[in-house]
Amino acid sequence: RSAVEHSRNAAADVDGGGTPRKGGVLSIASAIDITPSLLFAQSANVLVQRLVFNTLTRYDDRLQPQPELATSWQVAPDGLSVTLKLREDVLFHSGRRFTADDVVFAVKNLQNPARSAQLRSTAAAVTDFRKNGDFELTLVLAHPVSNLFDLFEFMIIPDAATVEDAVAGTRLIGTGPFTLTERKPGSSIAFARNERYWNPGRPHLDGVEIRIIPQSESLLSSLKTGQTHLSYNIRGKDAALLRDDPRFHVKQYDTGSGAYYIGVDVTAEHVSDKRVRQAIAWAIDRDRLVQQALGGYGSVSSVPWPKSSPAYTEAGATHYRHDPERARALLREAGAENITLPFAHAAEPGPTAIAQILQYDLKQVGIETELRPADSPTMQKQLISQTMPALWSLSHGFAQLHPATLAVSAYPFNEAKNSSHFSSPAYTDVVQRAWNRSDSDGPEAKALYQQITDVLLDEEFVIDLAIAGLVEVTGSRARGVTLNKFGYLNLDDAYLAA
Amino acid sequence: MTTATLPLKSPRVRGRYLSGLLTWRGLTGLALVGVVALAGLLAPLLTDTDPNAQSALALAGPSAEHPFGTDDLGRDLYSRVLHGIGTDLTLILTAVPIGALLGCSAALLAATSRWADLAVQRAFDLLLAFPGLILGLAVTAVLGPGRWPVVIVIALAEIPGFGRQLRAGILVQREREYALAARIGGASRARVLLRHVVPNAVDPLIVQTAVALSIGVFIEGAMSFLGLGVRPPDPTLGSILSQSVAYLTTDPAFAAAPLTATTALVLGFTLIAEALNRGIRR
Amino acid sequence: MRTFLLKRLPSALLVLLLASFAVFLILRLIPGDPATSLAGPDATPETVEAIRSQLGLDQPLFSQYVSWLGRLLSGDIGPSYAIGGQVADLIGDGFGATAQLTLGALLLVVLIALPLAVLGATTRSRPVAAVVQAVTTGVLAIPPFVTGVVLVLVFAVSLGLLPAGGHESLLTEPDLAVQYLAMPAVCLALPSAAVVARYLKDGIERALAEDYVRTATALGVSRRRTVWRHALPNALPSAITVLGLQVGHLIAGAVLVERIFAWPGLGQLIEQGVIRRDYPVVQDLLLLVVAVYVAVQLLTDLAYTWLDPRIRWE
Amino acid sequence: MTTVLHVSDLTVDFGGTTAVDGVGFELAAGETLGIVGESGSGKSTTALALLRMLPPGGRITAGSVHLAGQDLAALPEEALRALRGRRIAMVFQDPMSSLNPVLTVGRQLDEALRAHGSALRRAQRRARATELLDLVGIPDAAERLRDHPHQFSGGQRQRIMIALALAHDAEVLVADEPTTALDPTIQQQILRLLTRINRETGTALVVISHDLGVITQTCERLLVMRDGRVVERGATAEILSDPQHPYTRELLAAVPRLDEPSRAAANSTPGEQPLLTVRGLGKTYGTRRRSVTALHGVDLDLHPGETLGLVGESGSGKSTLARALVRAQAPSAGSIRFRGEELGRRPHREVQLVFQDPYSSLNPRMTAGQIIAEPLIAHGLGDRERRAARVAELLEQVGLDPAMAERHPRAFSGGQRQRIGIARALAPEPSVLICDEPVSALDVSVQAQVIELLARLQRDLGLAILFIAHDLAVVRQVSHRIAVMHHGRIVETGPADRVVTAPEHPYTAELLAAVPRLESALAAPADAPTTAPLASTRSTT
Ligand SMILES: Nc1ncnc2c1ncn2[C@@H]1O[C@H](COP(=O)(O)OP(=O)(O)OP(=O)(O)O)[C@@H](O)[C@H]1O
Ligand SMILES: Nc1ncnc2c1ncn2[C@@H]1O[C@H](COP(=O)(O)OP(=O)(O)OP(=O)(O)O)[C@@H](O)[C@H]1O
Ligand SMILES: [Mg+2]
Ligand SMILES: [Mg+2]
């Protein structure tokens, strides 16, 4: 027997044609294993969430919520409550029927700080539950919440009885299209079709397998050899090569996979002056960064918002361009010429390349930096304990949806507490006003978003550089694969062509 | 222990090393190491391009302006490789002697008593048993990234090698009759050890040093690959090489220069080691 | 044999105890802590604190150490922090895979080193000697992360002969397992094979210059037999010692190689454990590695006395 | 008689220096040829050149070695291999290093037997190996096949070497110093064995030795070598009775004879009070489970100005005793008193040892001067200049040029090295000198120099000397008294002449009877048809 064949066998025989076919196992290459304890949070690997679980609603391309476990919803005119009608034909993998109690549990679950859910503040805005039968309930809110449907897109509905097993990584019970069959930590996660899935005829696939391949080159090879069919961890430069290969399909999502930024400790010497921070923003050649570090898969941006965000504006994205003269002038003005700043970055190859590019650009305007590579947990600890040096570079997420979600959920932008030690009444005020409202894309809301953007562009405590592309590479056989706005993999309609 | 058939005018010890070096092996080795080392040493003279200067011209192939091409950030590979050799040599030439010194001291300590011997042996075991990744992580974590952690990890890795070699030599030589003769002559334990036994036990160490130098290059590369190496953007052979891995299919020229330099160094060290080895044996 | 073990076991146990202490301390010296990893990228300091106390990380170091040792001795080593599952299961699964890889590599080391060394030591042809030389040094000069990637590109991507990565158990699917094992084992084995070959070659050369080889020649024993039966046995004891040392290098090298070939072994587990600061996993795993290593040292010492009868005498 | 070996004009070079210069001889089947000569005269080199087995650096530059019509000097390696061991076999000079330490003796014999594609089965080879071991007088042969070389005593190892060479009934057997490590009784057995083989299978023998007695007993014809050349040749009896070349005459004159009375009394008179008193000395080697008792309660007195000769079977504990006396090894029982006081744990300045093997006891990294100065430094005697003066004085005392102090041990000849060892032992001005086989490796002329030196030192300094040796003639010559050791016990002690002429203990008598004599050979060739099994009186392990 040939192991090469064996490794491809995951995709069992399926007959030809372009129409959806039943059967086959889709194999996904992921660079990172899941972290069970972060099941309810946004983390580096969120491929599992929508395979095993469902959410209440789902955004379409125009950011309009669509029914999923909730069939319909009604937000009260004062924005202080929302009433949901639920599907009645949904069974958990354990065979138990899904009811309103499960939604109550899901919300309470996110309110638990130990779950580390980024949208905890939004979940915490739910102060009471009013059930109306098993399949209808009303969530009572403390104040109008503009990013309510972000929560519904984000919040997976777990089985209350087994939730502790889920975060321990031993058992996942949800209502989703696939059931977890085996997990080998660090190696693979296997799923089988949920035969009692509420969406009739779905899923097409017999099963799904996620293979963990940490080394980028090996991951690419697994796709090329047909061992795997799908990956979201292909580096931009490799994706650029695959784009011309007929065997592969490369797709970019508007949501991006987070934004690269330079974080600034606004209490540190020199950079406490906002002109210095602006100078840094002017000094960076973002185009070169996107080209050399992201292989062209990404877009320059001075603001956190990707194109999918209602706050996105062309003017905002291009506010800072590469202008060393201007940077030098600002530095002169601030009296901060020839300064040296410490600069932390993650020690992995990608971030190291980015850090070196930034270092070089900063040097051109007279800012010397001392690079301090550290591994991710160290970076994270510094970030959370707010002990970062004057400058650091990382990436952040949560800008793909409602701008309020970013400011109340993404730690770097948190108005109350962030690693930059930045706080200003103006920022707090505008963020709270944008969040505490029931609509999210009216003109008034848009104006508020513009104000947030303006504050960010002026203060530059987080200097945004580029939005990394969210690149999906599929072998030509895999079809119908989609991601939700939080990057949860949805394979309801996916199938393997012959 | 044959008393007869001994050449009456055999060359002296130093002479034996020299005659070992003056063979095709030794000369090729010296030439290889010499050329690479000189290139590293004279890097500032051989190129005036800043090894860290970036440009939009990334991953360019060899050209008149960039003899080895450019890397993914548009830096001149010729200059980076030359400076990288310099860095690598500084690292291993600091680390290997430190490791050798510590290892040899431990071996000497082990020679003092049975308990010390046991302790030192087990300490070597302990040192060898820890995967390099953990050692590298721990040292880098405590000291912060930079050259010293690399030096320390290489040195730590070399200690047991030197220690074991010298210990083995001491064990053998200590049982020789001349050591006994020295003791009967009234020499103290320390004197027997340092004046009589050790000078006769150090021959294998010269070879060990050459091996250790190669391993030093190897460790530097591995640490760079794991992101524990010398602080960027300073080039090292290992860091350039690990950077180039991502481009092996598309731009093999990227890897060629650092790989050639490393291979030449390691081959050179090995040849010198073998030549010396043969010289001693003659 | 019994007395040998009786003499060595106490010191081996002491090494383990010291190692446990070193492992424990080293992990705590590395900055970052399990709670932040568990809490995720956007956690608040309060969440982190809550997790810390839940994991008992706010206890004094010494009591953490003692309770860890207690758990080890009681045999119930408990769940991992971040990776998920019981530490014992994780290590058990990984151990099988890594054992397969390192033993495979070890076998290759012997299979590569032995002929190379014999050839290198006995050939009279300069070109052959030069080739042996080039192989043994070239392999040491090219780091495994390059070798690995090149192997995959050639044998998996271009030729399609071998799978790019992954693993099957030798016990259940031996024919497939060997194909999965081929590239990682070669990649892991090459540098060690070069080192062992070098020492072995040296030993054979030295033995060939000895008087007892002269005796064999004078008896008319053939050149081949002289090398394999008379010189080689004398070179083996020290080569075995080097091989024993290489086991340590193989285990360390597994971290790199397993990563490249997505091999689900202890190397990956250690890396994951370290990256997530999963103390229980890393602590127990490192201790296991030390134990294996100490056992290997015991074995090589035993082999040494078995191969060299003079030592038994003393 | 047919000529089996024809050597003509054999010349061997060592990188420029000529070690063997135009040696030639013929050997017919069943003939015996002895080669004697000064140490370093090229005897071993000649033997090695016969099989073309010169060490690296050595090259046959001229001449031929014809064995049954084929020129060994020009034969391709493979063809030569087919001859080695089967048609021409060799016993090497150094038995200690010539056996493979990691293979059992049985394996090595087996290798020898199967080397020439013999059709013997495994069991047959085993039987033959046992027979060979038995032949050279190793007791318990079948059992001992499983042992490794280190488990045999030096003399036994030498005999195993001989057994290997006998594996194929070769036409020519070259034996290089086959009996140096053997005491007279065992030496006698081996020589008889060689003679018997020569007689029964017609094997031509070439025996190299510095012991003329050995040659006399085994060889009909003789070559005398000096500086790589054959200076005299002829029938053994003729040369010995009527030497032509001055060197041969010198050699013969230097041979000590057992029947010459001791010269010790003429040299010095021992003091009354014993200097060194040994009582009940015991020594056990090894672990509790597997132990060897080398000394069983040895009693000994040594007086100032006295030479006590110590003889005995190889492995009887002589070296062990010597080492115990200088505190190199702690004895397991008994007491050693020096001037009435118990010796401490550490070596005593006034008791010094001259090692059996001079070369290995000299540190190869130090110069002769440094080596001799070591004890002076260790005992804090004098400053740098005074030490240098003392070293020069010592070198002169032992008859070496003080200018040689700058040389390394490698650059000295065997006899000179022996004298450096003596100078070192004398440096701390000892009153007791223990000499462990100081002359066994030396040819008679150098041996005579060393003996003269010791005598002079005793005369001048009143040294007490314990003189350990195999060669009874030498021992009688230098000793006031002789002690005989057997199985770790002193079985007889008495005035030198009395012990030799009127031995009291049967073992002593046996030992004396076994000494090969020049005269007896001249009178009647050693025939004494002893087809009786060559059983040994001793048992090892
Ligand atoms: N490997 C060698 N290299 C250089 N010279 C050598 C070598 N072996 C022997 N010689 C020289 O060749 C000469 C003859 O040595 P050989 O061993 O044949 O002497 P010998 O007669 O056997 O002496 P002995 O009685 O001490 O055994 C000596 O002068 C010696 O220095
Ligand atoms: N280190 C040792 N370990 C075990 N046994 C030993 C050791 N050294 C000597 N023996 C044994 O002790 C006995 C006496 O040895 P010793 O060397 O004293 O003999 P010797 O009389 O000097 O012999 P020779 O004449 O061969 O030099 C021998 O049987 C020998 O095998
Ligand atoms: Mg000789
Ligand atoms: Mg002795």
Side-chain angles (χ1 to χ4, degrees), chain B residues 4-7, chain D residues 14 19 39-45 55 93:
Chain B
T5 68
L6 273 152
Chain D
F14 277 108
S39 164
S41 61
K43 302 184 296 292
S44 300
T45 308
Q93 183 169 8

mmCIF file with all atom_site columns, all heavy atoms in Angstrom, chain B residues 4-7, chain D residues 14 19 39-45 55 93, ligand 1:
data_model
loop_
_atom_site.group_PDB
_atom_site.id
_atom_site.type_symbol
_atom_site.label_atom_id
_atom_site.label_alt_id
_atom_site.label_comp_id
_atom_site.label_asym_id
_atom_site.label_entity_id
_atom_site.label_seq_id
_atom_site.pdbx_PDB_ins_code
_atom_site.Cartn_x
_atom_site.Cartn_y
_atom_site.Cartn_z
_atom_site.occupancy
_atom_site.B_iso_or_equiv
_atom_site.pdbx_formal_charge
_atom_site.auth_seq_id
_atom_site.auth_comp_id
_atom_site.auth_asym_id
_atom_site.auth_atom_id
_atom_site.pdbx_PDB_model_num
ATOM   1   N N   . ALA B 1 4  ? 60.841 -1.820  22.675 1.00 0.00 ? 4  ALA B N   1
ATOM   2   C CA  . ALA B 1 4  ? 61.634 -1.815  21.452 1.00 0.00 ? 4  ALA B CA  1
ATOM   3   C C   . ALA B 1 4  ? 60.844 -1.148  20.337 1.00 0.00 ? 4  ALA B C   1
ATOM   4   O O   . ALA B 1 4  ? 59.791 -0.599  20.562 1.00 0.00 ? 4  ALA B O   1
ATOM   5   C CB  . ALA B 1 4  ? 61.975 -3.244  21.058 1.00 0.00 ? 4  ALA B CB  1
ATOM   6   N N   . THR B 1 5  ? 61.332 -1.226  19.154 1.00 0.00 ? 5  THR B N   1
ATOM   7   C CA  . THR B 1 5  ? 60.720 -0.687  17.944 1.00 0.00 ? 5  THR B CA  1
ATOM   8   C C   . THR B 1 5  ? 60.173 0.715   18.128 1.00 0.00 ? 5  THR B C   1
ATOM   9   O O   . THR B 1 5  ? 59.105 1.050   17.674 1.00 0.00 ? 5  THR B O   1
ATOM   10  C CB  . THR B 1 5  ? 59.563 -1.574  17.432 1.00 0.00 ? 5  THR B CB  1
ATOM   11  O OG1 . THR B 1 5  ? 58.518 -1.494  18.366 1.00 0.00 ? 5  THR B OG1 1
ATOM   12  C CG2 . THR B 1 5  ? 60.004 -2.998  17.212 1.00 0.00 ? 5  THR B CG2 1
ATOM   13  N N   . LEU B 1 6  ? 60.909 1.512   18.894 1.00 0.00 ? 6  LEU B N   1
ATOM   14  C CA  . LEU B 1 6  ? 60.462 2.900   18.981 1.00 0.00 ? 6  LEU B CA  1
ATOM   15  C C   . LEU B 1 6  ? 61.428 3.764   18.210 1.00 0.00 ? 6  LEU B C   1
ATOM   16  O O   . LEU B 1 6  ? 62.638 3.666   18.389 1.00 0.00 ? 6  LEU B O   1
ATOM   17  C CB  . LEU B 1 6  ? 60.403 3.336   20.430 1.00 0.00 ? 6  LEU B CB  1
ATOM   18  C CG  . LEU B 1 6  ? 59.059 2.978   21.006 1.00 0.00 ? 6  LEU B CG  1
ATOM   19  C CD1 . LEU B 1 6  ? 59.168 2.744   22.484 1.00 0.00 ? 6  LEU B CD1 1
ATOM   20  C CD2 . LEU B 1 6  ? 58.033 4.041   20.690 1.00 0.00 ? 6  LEU B CD2 1
ATOM   21  N N   . PRO B 1 7  ? 60.886 4.587   17.362 1.00 0.00 ? 7  PRO B N   1
ATOM   22  C CA  . PRO B 1 7  ? 61.767 5.445   16.580 1.00 0.00 ? 7  PRO B CA  1
ATOM   23  C C   . PRO B 1 7  ? 62.582 6.321   17.507 1.00 0.00 ? 7  PRO B C   1
ATOM   24  O O   . PRO B 1 7  ? 62.048 6.914   18.438 1.00 0.00 ? 7  PRO B O   1
ATOM   25  C CB  . PRO B 1 7  ? 60.811 6.273   15.722 1.00 0.00 ? 7  PRO B CB  1
ATOM   26  C CG  . PRO B 1 7  ? 59.485 6.137   16.377 1.00 0.00 ? 7  PRO B CG  1
ATOM   27  C CD  . PRO B 1 7  ? 59.491 4.832   17.080 1.00 0.00 ? 7  PRO B CD  1
ATOM   28  N N   . PHE D 2 14 ? 63.562 3.010   7.354  1.00 0.00 ? 14 PHE D N   1
ATOM   29  C CA  . PHE D 2 14 ? 62.538 3.774   8.087  1.00 0.00 ? 14 PHE D CA  1
ATOM   30  C C   . PHE D 2 14 ? 62.760 5.230   7.785  1.00 0.00 ? 14 PHE D C   1
ATOM   31  O O   . PHE D 2 14 ? 63.602 5.861   8.411  1.00 0.00 ? 14 PHE D O   1
ATOM   32  C CB  . PHE D 2 14 ? 62.655 3.536   9.595  1.00 0.00 ? 14 PHE D CB  1
ATOM   33  C CG  . PHE D 2 14 ? 61.978 2.286   10.051 1.00 0.00 ? 14 PHE D CG  1
ATOM   34  C CD1 . PHE D 2 14 ? 62.705 1.179   10.451 1.00 0.00 ? 14 PHE D CD1 1
ATOM   35  C CD2 . PHE D 2 14 ? 60.590 2.224   10.084 1.00 0.00 ? 14 PHE D CD2 1
ATOM   36  C CE1 . PHE D 2 14 ? 62.059 0.035   10.876 1.00 0.00 ? 14 PHE D CE1 1
ATOM   37  C CE2 . PHE D 2 14 ? 59.951 1.084   10.513 1.00 0.00 ? 14 PHE D CE2 1
ATOM   38  C CZ  . PHE D 2 14 ? 60.681 -0.021  10.907 1.00 0.00 ? 14 PHE D CZ  1
ATOM   39  N N   . ALA D 2 19 ? 67.307 0.272   8.794  1.00 0.00 ? 19 ALA D N   1
ATOM   40  C CA  . ALA D 2 19 ? 67.246 -0.552  9.995  1.00 0.00 ? 19 ALA D CA  1
ATOM   41  C C   . ALA D 2 19 ? 67.812 -1.943  9.736  1.00 0.00 ? 19 ALA D C   1
ATOM   42  O O   . ALA D 2 19 ? 68.401 -2.563  10.620 1.00 0.00 ? 19 ALA D O   1
ATOM   43  C CB  . ALA D 2 19 ? 65.808 -0.650  10.486 1.00 0.00 ? 19 ALA D CB  1
ATOM   44  N N   . SER D 2 39 ? 70.293 -4.854  21.192 1.00 0.00 ? 39 SER D N   1
ATOM   45  C CA  . SER D 2 39 ? 68.962 -4.252  21.108 1.00 0.00 ? 39 SER D CA  1
ATOM   46  C C   . SER D 2 39 ? 68.987 -3.143  20.063 1.00 0.00 ? 39 SER D C   1
ATOM   47  O O   . SER D 2 39 ? 69.892 -2.323  20.044 1.00 0.00 ? 39 SER D O   1
ATOM   48  C CB  . SER D 2 39 ? 68.601 -3.694  22.488 1.00 0.00 ? 39 SER D CB  1
ATOM   49  O OG  . SER D 2 39 ? 67.535 -2.824  22.382 1.00 0.00 ? 39 SER D OG  1
ATOM   50  N N   . GLY D 2 40 ? 67.999 -3.146  19.171 1.00 0.00 ? 40 GLY D N   1
ATOM   51  C CA  . GLY D 2 40 ? 67.970 -2.133  18.120 1.00 0.00 ? 40 GLY D CA  1
ATOM   52  C C   . GLY D 2 40 ? 68.803 -2.489  16.915 1.00 0.00 ? 40 GLY D C   1
ATOM   53  O O   . GLY D 2 40 ? 69.010 -1.664  16.033 1.00 0.00 ? 40 GLY D O   1
ATOM   54  N N   . SER D 2 41 ? 69.243 -3.723  16.846 1.00 0.00 ? 41 SER D N   1
ATOM   55  C CA  . SER D 2 41 ? 70.111 -4.086  15.720 1.00 0.00 ? 41 SER D CA  1
ATOM   56  C C   . SER D 2 41 ? 69.311 -4.523  14.500 1.00 0.00 ? 41 SER D C   1
ATOM   57  O O   . SER D 2 41 ? 69.894 -4.820  13.464 1.00 0.00 ? 41 SER D O   1
ATOM   58  C CB  . SER D 2 41 ? 71.071 -5.201  16.150 1.00 0.00 ? 41 SER D CB  1
ATOM   59  O OG  . SER D 2 41 ? 70.325 -6.335  16.518 1.00 0.00 ? 41 SER D OG  1
ATOM   60  N N   . GLY D 2 42 ? 68.004 -4.599  14.605 1.00 0.00 ? 42 GLY D N   1
ATOM   61  C CA  . GLY D 2 42 ? 67.190 -4.901  13.434 1.00 0.00 ? 42 GLY D CA  1
ATOM   62  C C   . GLY D 2 42 ? 66.657 -6.319  13.398 1.00 0.00 ? 42 GLY D C   1
ATOM   63  O O   . GLY D 2 42 ? 66.200 -6.778  12.360 1.00 0.00 ? 42 GLY D O   1
ATOM   64  N N   . LYS D 2 43 ? 66.672 -7.013  14.513 1.00 0.00 ? 43 LYS D N   1
ATOM   65  C CA  . LYS D 2 43 ? 66.203 -8.403  14.545 1.00 0.00 ? 43 LYS D CA  1
ATOM   66  C C   . LYS D 2 43 ? 64.700 -8.465  14.263 1.00 0.00 ? 43 LYS D C   1
ATOM   67  O O   . LYS D 2 43 ? 64.240 -9.173  13.366 1.00 0.00 ? 43 LYS D O   1
ATOM   68  C CB  . LYS D 2 43 ? 66.504 -9.026  15.913 1.00 0.00 ? 43 LYS D CB  1
ATOM   69  C CG  . LYS D 2 43 ? 67.980 -9.006  16.294 1.00 0.00 ? 43 LYS D CG  1
ATOM   70  C CD  . LYS D 2 43 ? 68.240 -9.720  17.596 1.00 0.00 ? 43 LYS D CD  1
ATOM   71  C CE  . LYS D 2 43 ? 67.588 -9.100  18.817 1.00 0.00 ? 43 LYS D CE  1
ATOM   72  N NZ  . LYS D 2 43 ? 68.136 -7.796  19.205 1.00 0.00 ? 43 LYS D NZ  1
ATOM   73  N N   . SER D 2 44 ? 63.935 -7.714  15.050 1.00 0.00 ? 44 SER D N   1
ATOM   74  C CA  . SER D 2 44 ? 62.486 -7.742  14.866 1.00 0.00 ? 44 SER D CA  1
ATOM   75  C C   . SER D 2 44 ? 62.111 -7.222  13.487 1.00 0.00 ? 44 SER D C   1
ATOM   76  O O   . SER D 2 44 ? 61.207 -7.751  12.829 1.00 0.00 ? 44 SER D O   1
ATOM   77  C CB  . SER D 2 44 ? 61.793 -6.882  15.926 1.00 0.00 ? 44 SER D CB  1
ATOM   78  O OG  . SER D 2 44 ? 62.077 -7.360  17.198 1.00 0.00 ? 44 SER D OG  1
ATOM   79  N N   . THR D 2 45 ? 62.786 -6.204  13.060 1.00 0.00 ? 45 THR D N   1
ATOM   80  C CA  . THR D 2 45 ? 62.487 -5.645  11.743 1.00 0.00 ? 45 THR D CA  1
ATOM   81  C C   . THR D 2 45 ? 62.710 -6.681  10.653 1.00 0.00 ? 45 THR D C   1
ATOM   82  O O   . THR D 2 45 ? 61.906 -6.811  9.730  1.00 0.00 ? 45 THR D O   1
ATOM   83  C CB  . THR D 2 45 ? 63.352 -4.405  11.498 1.00 0.00 ? 45 THR D CB  1
ATOM   84  O OG1 . THR D 2 45 ? 63.204 -3.526  12.612 1.00 0.00 ? 45 THR D OG1 1
ATOM   85  C CG2 . THR D 2 45 ? 62.945 -3.687  10.239 1.00 0.00 ? 45 THR D CG2 1
ATOM   86  N N   . PRO D 2 55 ? 55.852 -1.947  10.206 1.00 0.00 ? 55 PRO D N   1
ATOM   87  C CA  . PRO D 2 55 ? 54.987 -0.858  10.684 1.00 0.00 ? 55 PRO D CA  1
ATOM   88  C C   . PRO D 2 55 ? 55.002 0.279   9.675  1.00 0.00 ? 55 PRO D C   1
ATOM   89  O O   . PRO D 2 55 ? 55.887 0.348   8.826  1.00 0.00 ? 55 PRO D O   1
ATOM   90  C CB  . PRO D 2 55 ? 55.627 -0.444  12.006 1.00 0.00 ? 55 PRO D CB  1
ATOM   91  C CG  . PRO D 2 55 ? 57.024 -0.932  11.931 1.00 0.00 ? 55 PRO D CG  1
ATOM   92  C CD  . PRO D 2 55 ? 57.006 -2.138  11.064 1.00 0.00 ? 55 PRO D CD  1
ATOM   93  N N   . GLN D 2 93 ? 56.963 -10.231 19.268 1.00 0.00 ? 93 GLN D N   1
ATOM   94  C CA  . GLN D 2 93 ? 57.778 -9.985  20.451 1.00 0.00 ? 93 GLN D CA  1
ATOM   95  C C   . GLN D 2 93 ? 56.930 -9.619  21.667 1.00 0.00 ? 93 GLN D C   1
ATOM   96  O O   . GLN D 2 93 ? 57.223 -10.037 22.765 1.00 0.00 ? 93 GLN D O   1
ATOM   97  C CB  . GLN D 2 93 ? 58.777 -8.857  20.145 1.00 0.00 ? 93 GLN D CB  1
ATOM   98  C CG  . GLN D 2 93 ? 59.731 -8.565  21.282 1.00 0.00 ? 93 GLN D CG  1
ATOM   99  C CD  . GLN D 2 93 ? 60.854 -7.647  20.832 1.00 0.00 ? 93 GLN D CD  1
ATOM   100 O OE1 . GLN D 2 93 ? 60.845 -7.122  19.733 1.00 0.00 ? 93 GLN D OE1 1
ATOM   101 N NE2 . GLN D 2 93 ? 61.838 -7.470  21.680 1.00 0.00 ? 93 GLN D NE2 1
HETATM 102 N N1  . LIG E 3 .  ? 58.449 2.237   13.398 1.00 0.00 ? 1  LIG E N1  1
HETATM 103 C C1  . LIG E 3 .  ? 59.759 2.572   13.321 1.00 0.00 ? 1  LIG E C1  1
HETATM 104 N N2  . LIG E 3 .  ? 60.068 3.798   12.857 1.00 0.00 ? 1  LIG E N2  1
HETATM 105 C C2  . LIG E 3 .  ? 61.379 4.174   12.783 1.00 0.00 ? 1  LIG E C2  1
HETATM 106 N N3  . LIG E 3 .  ? 62.400 3.400   13.160 1.00 0.00 ? 1  LIG E N3  1
HETATM 107 C C3  . LIG E 3 .  ? 62.141 2.155   13.626 1.00 0.00 ? 1  LIG E C3  1
HETATM 108 C C4  . LIG E 3 .  ? 60.795 1.704   13.729 1.00 0.00 ? 1  LIG E C4  1
HETATM 109 N N4  . LIG E 3 .  ? 60.809 0.448   14.251 1.00 0.00 ? 1  LIG E N4  1
HETATM 110 C C5  . LIG E 3 .  ? 62.123 0.149   14.447 1.00 0.00 ? 1  LIG E C5  1
HETATM 111 N N5  . LIG E 3 .  ? 62.896 1.186   14.086 1.00 0.00 ? 1  LIG E N5  1
HETATM 112 C C6  . LIG E 3 .  ? 64.362 1.220   14.143 1.00 0.00 ? 1  LIG E C6  1
HETATM 113 O O1  . LIG E 3 .  ? 64.865 0.084   13.502 1.00 0.00 ? 1  LIG E O1  1
HETATM 114 C C7  . LIG E 3 .  ? 65.975 -0.441  14.197 1.00 0.00 ? 1  LIG E C7  1
HETATM 115 C C8  . LIG E 3 .  ? 65.788 -1.942  14.433 1.00 0.00 ? 1  LIG E C8  1
HETATM 116 O O2  . LIG E 3 .  ? 64.718 -2.162  15.316 1.00 0.00 ? 1  LIG E O2  1
HETATM 117 P P1  . LIG E 3 .  ? 64.258 -3.617  15.755 1.00 0.00 ? 1  LIG E P1  1
HETATM 118 O O3  . LIG E 3 .  ? 62.980 -3.488  16.445 1.00 0.00 ? 1  LIG E O3  1
HETATM 119 O O4  . LIG E 3 .  ? 64.328 -4.502  14.608 1.00 0.00 ? 1  LIG E O4  1
HETATM 120 O O5  . LIG E 3 .  ? 65.381 -4.003  16.806 1.00 0.00 ? 1  LIG E O5  1
HETATM 121 P P2  . LIG E 3 .  ? 65.597 -5.384  17.561 1.00 0.00 ? 1  LIG E P2  1
HETATM 122 O O6  . LIG E 3 .  ? 66.846 -5.904  17.091 1.00 0.00 ? 1  LIG E O6  1
HETATM 123 O O7  . LIG E 3 .  ? 64.373 -6.202  17.434 1.00 0.00 ? 1  LIG E O7  1
HETATM 124 O O8  . LIG E 3 .  ? 65.761 -4.849  19.071 1.00 0.00 ? 1  LIG E O8  1
HETATM 125 P P3  . LIG E 3 .  ? 65.223 -5.511  20.429 1.00 0.00 ? 1  LIG E P3  1
HETATM 126 O O9  . LIG E 3 .  ? 66.187 -6.524  20.833 1.00 0.00 ? 1  LIG E O9  1
HETATM 127 O O10 . LIG E 3 .  ? 65.227 -4.359  21.391 1.00 0.00 ? 1  LIG E O10 1
HETATM 128 O O11 . LIG E 3 .  ? 63.845 -6.029  20.164 1.00 0.00 ? 1  LIG E O11 1
HETATM 129 C C9  . LIG E 3 .  ? 66.101 0.350   15.491 1.00 0.00 ? 1  LIG E C9  1
HETATM 130 O O12 . LIG E 3 .  ? 67.221 1.204   15.371 1.00 0.00 ? 1  LIG E O12 1
HETATM 131 C C10 . LIG E 3 .  ? 64.858 1.170   15.568 1.00 0.00 ? 1  LIG E C10 1
HETATM 132 O O13 . LIG E 3 .  ? 65.154 2.459   16.031 1.00 0.00 ? 1  LIG E O13 1
#
